[in-house]
Amino acid sequence: VVEIAISFNSVLLPNIKLDLSISDQMAQSTISIGLFALGGSGIIYGGLADSIGRKPMLICSISIFFLSTLSITFANTIEVFLIGKFAQGLGSGAAWVVGNACLKDIYSGKEYTKIMNYVHAIAGITPAVAPVIGSYLGTIIGWKGCFQILVLLSFIALLKIIFLQKETLKEKKPLCFKTFVLNYLAVFKEKIFVKYLIVKVLCVMLIFVETSNAPLIFVDYMDVQPEYY
């Protein structure tokens, strides 16, 4: 659902820009503000999930995602839209971090590698498929209609987590800010980790530079129809 939300937002940028009467730069900021909140909250969710459990954090984050996406469907000004996108990013932070932690609780070794390959395959296919669906839906039901679909999907995800998700954390750890900081410092002292991190950061950065620019270039300036884009 988080992946679909990012993809929908990117392909609907021309629609959002036109409806809210904003500049290209402001339209692009609707993506960056959500990603900023997603990245920052992900750091916090990890430590909290080790302390209070995986399931409570997932319920909390998806509830925030659900409510913020619902607020976006009522946005008639860019200020309300940006606040909603920031809150949506906060609600997205647990998706990867806590989700991966759940898998790590259950699987190990080759089994963990295998299941992560499946997860990454789905995460890789979604940004390819979602924009196609979003562009067609955008021309039929508008950008707010697309966000209403996200409201429904996130509500279904929330219900599934509440009623079907089992707590995977076997042993809770006390939350200590000092330990939290020291763990991050230890990780960033590992040169091999930092090298891989730099590669990943650059790749993800390039993806989102393209994501926030291409819709405006093709649809607004090259007159390509959204469904063809």
Side-chain angles (χ1 to χ4, degrees):
V1 177
V2 169
E3 293 282 352
I4 292 171
I6 296 171
S7 298
F8 271 18
N9 197 135
S10 64
V11 79
L12 295 170
L13 276 183
N15 309 58
I16 295 167
K17 174 192 167 186
L18 180 65
D19 194 34
L20 297 180
S21 301
I22 55 177
S23 64
D24 289 358
Q25 292 79 10
M26 189 61 73
Q28 290 166 325
S29 70
T30 63
I31 294 179
S32 58
I33 195 170
L35 292 173
F36 181 80
L38 187 156
S41 63
I43 295 172
I44 299 168
Y45 279 125
L48 290 175
D50 287 339
S51 178
I52 66 175
R54 314 299 191 208
K55 185 172 180 176
M57 290 315 304
L58 286 170
I59 291 174
C60 174
S61 67
I62 297 218
S63 296
I64 295 171
F65 184 93
F66 165 71
L67 292 172
S68 59
T69 306
L70 183 62
S71 72
I72 290 171
T73 64
F74 295 101
N76 291 316
T77 65
I78 186 58
E79 291 80 11
V80 175
F81 189 91
L82 287 175
I83 292 170
K85 282 299 298 181
F86 184 80
Q88 191 187 62
L90 292 177
S92 303
W96 277 105
V97 178
V98 182
N100 286 355
C102 289
L103 294 175
K104 192 66 176 175
D105 294 337
I106 301 168
Y107 302 98
S108 61
K110 291 183 178 179
E111 285 186 330
Y112 176 72
T113 303
K114 184 178 179 180
I115 199 71
M116 283 305 296
N117 285 337
Y118 286 134
V119 171
H120 281 282
I122 294 169
I125 292 168
T126 302
V129 176
V132 178
I133 298 171
S135 62
Y136 276 98
L137 288 175
T139 59
I140 299 169
I141 60 177
W143 67 267
K144 287 189 177 182
C146 292
F147 277 92
Q148 287 167 358
I149 292 172
L150 290 174
V151 171
L152 177 62
L153 291 175
S154 58
F155 184 67
I156 292 170
L158 179 60
L159 291 179
K160 290 185 74 174
I161 289 170
I162 291 172
F163 295 108
L164 299 178
Q165 173 83 15
K166 295 180 180 179
E167 179 56 66
T168 61
L169 183 64
K170 296 178 178 64
E171 184 180 346
K172 295 180 180 179
K173 302 173 184 177
L175 187 63
C176 175
F177 181 74
K178 183 179 179 180
T179 304
F180 180 80
V181 173
L182 290 174
N183 285 340
Y184 270 103
L185 289 174
V187 167
F188 280 102
K189 286 180 181 177
E190 293 291 334
K191 292 182 179 179
I192 188 68
F193 170 79
V194 173
K195 288 177 182 178
Y196 280 117
L197 180 64
I198 290 170
V199 172
K200 183 166 186 176
V201 166
L202 291 173
C203 290
V204 173
M205 179 187 71
L206 289 171
I207 288 171
F208 285 111
V209 166
E210 188 270 345
T211 298
S212 62
N213 278 286
L216 297 173
I217 293 170
F218 280 98
V219 177
D220 275 4
Y221 296 103
M222 298 180 72
D223 297 324
V224 175
Q225 294 299 313
E227 58 267 33
Y228 296 129
Y229 162 74

